[in-house]
Amino acid sequence: MRAARIFADLTLRVENVPDPAPGPGQALVRIHAAGVCGTDLHILDGMIKPDPYPMTLGHEAAGIVQAAAPETGLSPGDRVAVYNKLFCGTCEQCLTGRHNICDTEPGQLGFNMDGGDAEYVAVPARNLVPIPAAVDYATAAVLTCAGMTAVHATRLSGLRLGQTAVVNGIGGVGVLVVQAARQAGARVIAVADSEDKGRLAISHGASDVVLAGHTEDFGSLPDQVRELTGDRGADVFFELVGTTQSMTAGVRCLAKGGRFVATGYTDQPLSVHPIEFILSETSLISTVAATRQDLAHALQLAASGAMTVPVAGRVGLDGVVEALSALRKRAVLGRQIIELA
Ligand SMILES: [Zn+2]
Ligand SMILES: [Zn+2]
């Protein structure tokens, strides 16, 4: 089969490799669509290191079951989204539904094991989530990362009906957080680095947009958010950018008792004096990916029309390198999709 492989010298090449062979409890999935994600850039830059190299890139995949053992309950032809974090199913975290932080961390597709930017992938059958009939493969693929992350972050944020959320960063995840926060009943203020992304946020449910993309723009963000909230501040600040300046601004945007939700990151530290949290009893919540159930919820939201994925463009497997360089230039509105079948 053909697969997009990342090598130890950090080059990405599409090559022919043997078809994966599913082991016990596993299913073989023929990939129809795979999402191109900002996290892939961290792997291309060597910030996240696959072990071993080379590895097939890609952690956002959807397709059909090609083969599965009868005891898995899956049949060839089933439409499935691939939950990309392997989990043991028996540790304390898994038994409480927190598959994303499984104690044994058996692996993650496209991070430390062969992923979905390929014609086929073999995964444990329990990692496959049925795709509702109303949801297409491209949408399902993006929900396996950005969509489920948005649902998870919104759930952990404790956002409630009538509250105000700021979503900083209208990229592939941000536009879905806007929608998840709206579903939670919140008013959403989007912080975008271009007018196009601002319009994208508005068309997906944001009520207001603040433009901020450069370091210096974030200095005035807390004042702008207070102006939009009757001098109160936001109940939740979703941080999807992760620079020191944007995170500092985010903490300062909060209302008393507000929550700063750390999801996106760069190589920069969060650096605020604890008094900035203490005096207002604000808190920091961190979220990583999502549980398998969050993916199922994201797919249900999409099936009901409450969550839509803006597709920025579609390429074949050979277009993956070009798609990633467009993403690096921040020239992408929504999510780029690799189509394989
Ligand atoms: Zn992703
Ligand atoms: Zn576990």
Side-chain angles (χ1 to χ4, degrees):
M1 68 165 185
R2 302 178 71 239
R5 308 273 286 167
I6 175 95
F7 289 80
D9 64 0
L10 302 182
T11 58
L12 180 66
R13 300 197 294 271
V14 176
E15 295 203 330
N16 282 310
V17 297
D19 288 359
Q26 292 198 328
L28 184 67
V29 178
R30 178 167 174 76
I31 305 298
H32 279 241
V36 178
C37 179
T39 304
D40 295 330
L41 293 175
H42 294 330
I43 297 170
L44 274 185
D45 292 343
M47 193 154 99
I48 297 169
K49 291 184 196 305
D51 180 22
Y53 289 102
M55 178 197 77
T56 301
L57 199 64
H59 56 273
E60 307 185 359
I64 62 168
V65 173
Q66 183 86 9
E71 69 273 13
T72 61
L74 293 164
S75 307
D78 286 353
R79 303 169 79 239
V80 288
V82 182
Y83 178 66
N84 64 42
K85 292 202 92 162
L86 270 55
F87 56 97
C88 74
T90 57
C91 74
E92 177 187 342
Q93 302 306 336
C94 283
L95 289 173
T96 52
R98 304 180 77 177
H99 310 119
N100 57 323
I101 51 171
C102 170
D103 284 332
T104 60
E105 299 196 34
Q108 187 169 13
L109 261 67
F111 284 77
N112 52 18
M113 55 186 292
D114 286 340
D117 291 356
E119 290 178 285
Y120 294 96
V121 69
V123 290
R126 65 179 171 214
N127 279 69
L128 300 178
V129 181
I131 303 175
V135 179
D136 61 31
Y137 290 115
T139 298
V142 177
L143 296 184
T144 67
C145 178
M148 70 172 191
T149 298
V151 168
H152 186 69
T154 303
R155 188 162 63 78
L156 264 56
S157 76
L159 199 58
R160 292 189 297 278
L161 191 66
Q163 294 194 324
T164 298
V166 175
V167 178
N168 180 33
I170 305 302
V173 178
V175 73
L176 287 156
V177 176
V178 168
Q179 297 174 71
R182 285 284 293 145
Q183 282 299 305
R187 170 197 177 192
V188 178
I189 299 169
V191 182
D193 64 4
S194 74
E195 290 189 7
D196 280 348
K197 288 182 188 170
R199 279 190 287 273
L200 187 71
I202 294 283
S203 69
H204 285 83
S207 60
D208 304 271
V209 172
V210 177
L211 288 179
H214 304 290
T215 299
E216 58 273 17
D217 299 337
F218 285 97
S220 62
L221 182 60
D223 284 343
Q224 290 174 276
V225 167
R226 281 182 200 287
E227 205 170 295
L228 288 167
T229 54
D231 211 27
R232 184 175 171 277
D235 298 288
V236 172
F237 188 98
F238 291 100
E239 174 62 341
L240 303 164
V241 174
T243 64
T244 297
Q245 298 294 334
S246 69
M247 291 188 286
T248 304
V251 171
R252 292 173 183 168
C253 284
L254 293 176
K256 288 182 177 173
R259 285 89 67 200
F260 176 89
V261 180
T263 301
Y265 59 92
T266 63
D267 56 355
Q268 298 182 24
L270 167 61
S271 177
V272 293
H273 194 281
I275 204 78
E276 299 214 36
F277 281 101
I278 291 168
L279 289 183
S280 50
E281 287 197 341
T282 49
S283 43
L284 185 148
I285 294 167
S286 58
T287 76
V288 60
T291 69
R292 186 188 182 283
Q293 194 58 36
D294 291 317
L295 172 55
H297 285 154
L299 287 161
Q300 287 305 326
L301 285 170
S304 71
M307 187 170 263
T308 58
V309 172
V311 173
R314 296 170 193 267
V315 297
L317 192 55
D318 290 310
V320 62
V321 175
E322 207 174 315
L324 282 162
S325 62
L327 189 61
R328 192 186 294 283
K329 289 180 201 136
R330 291 187 177 189
V332 177
L333 212 53
R335 200 64 136 207
Q336 301 176 100
I337 301 294
I338 302 167
E339 288 185 315
L340 287 124

